[in-house]
Amino acid sequence: MSTSSVVRVAVIGAAGRMGAQTCAAVEEAEGLELVARLDAGDDVGAGVRDSGAHVAVDFTVPAVTEHNVHAVLDAGAHAVVGTTGWDDGSRGRVVEHLERVNAERGDEGLGVLIAPNFGLSAVLAMTFAAKAARYFESAEVVELHHPNKVDAPSGTARHTAAAIAAARADAGLGPSPDATQDGWEARGADVDGVRVHAVRLRGLVAHEEILFGNAGEQLTIRQDSFDRASFMPGVLLAVREVGSRPGLTVGLENVLDLS
């Protein structure tokens, strides 16, 4: 990050709902300066480079987000990414790019922080779920979003399910019991062995229920985001922290003190 006390920020996807909210939050935040609003058709690399941005925040669509991150790195800036649709392959390519760029830069390495969700309630729900997973025989995830969302299941739900699956594996648990033989399409997506159900309904913003069950008991962890303003504290935290974390960081929980 620059030695300047002010962090210069570019927002990619600035005309979108999350992008516009991010622009407003950056403009109001102490120690941050909005230096570029970039949208479809803009040259992301040139926009980041010419504006002198230290950090670029990407809230675009899955089809272009990886390309944008590579352009941001080539422009010499850190990236904070809220767009979903990432997989092992795309994350791996970013890691390789970071290793190459940071080997050339030396002691001031670039960082990329990809967060499936910036809502503090969502991050805490995912963290609590990973801790609870080892104690329950059954686990499923339900995510509920507005009908304009283009991907399903959501990145948050995939991240949650993957963390639950890892905790179950560490605890030596087998698959959740399920006698289904027909109609598997009604059982939701399979994310590392955890069933994930996606609801798309007018009036919703972003919501998640994580369901755990044992014989005679059930634990439900639920978080609700009613307004996109709830994501802004997490976005601003990521913008401030990414410069001190060279390489790839996945999940906002990694910059929160949740030990």
Side-chain angles (χ1 to χ4, degrees), residues 1-2 4-12 18 21-23 25-27 29-35 53-59 77-82 111-115 118 231-245 252 255:
M1 197 78 77
S2 167
S4 168
S5 60
V6 175
V7 179
R8 297 167 61 85
V9 182
V11 176
I12 309 168
M18 282 297 294
Q21 192 105 42
T22 299
C23 288
V26 170
E27 288 181 318
E30 183 177 354
L32 304 182
E33 179 185 0
L34 182 66
V35 296
H54 305 135
V55 179
V57 181
D58 181 279
F59 278 114
H78 308 282
V80 169
V81 185
V112 174
L113 193 158
I114 300 174
F118 286 99
F231 303 129
M232 292 304 106
V235 172
L236 298 181
L237 175 64
V239 167
R240 292 185 168 108
E241 292 289 331
V242 66
S244 63
R245 295 176 174 271
L252 190 66
V255 300

Side-chain angles (χ1 to χ4, degrees), residues 126 129-141 157-176 189-196 210-212:
M126 288 186 277
K131 292 183 181 297
R134 65 178 55 244
Y135 301 108
F136 290 88
E137 186 180 10
S138 297
E140 302 211 4
V141 177
R158 288 185 178 277
H159 194 68
T160 303
I164 289 171
R168 289 173 62 87
D170 287 345
L173 297 179
S176 293
D190 184 326
V191 179
D192 297 343
V194 177
R195 289 286 162 180
V196 180
I210 306 129
L211 308 174
F212 294 106

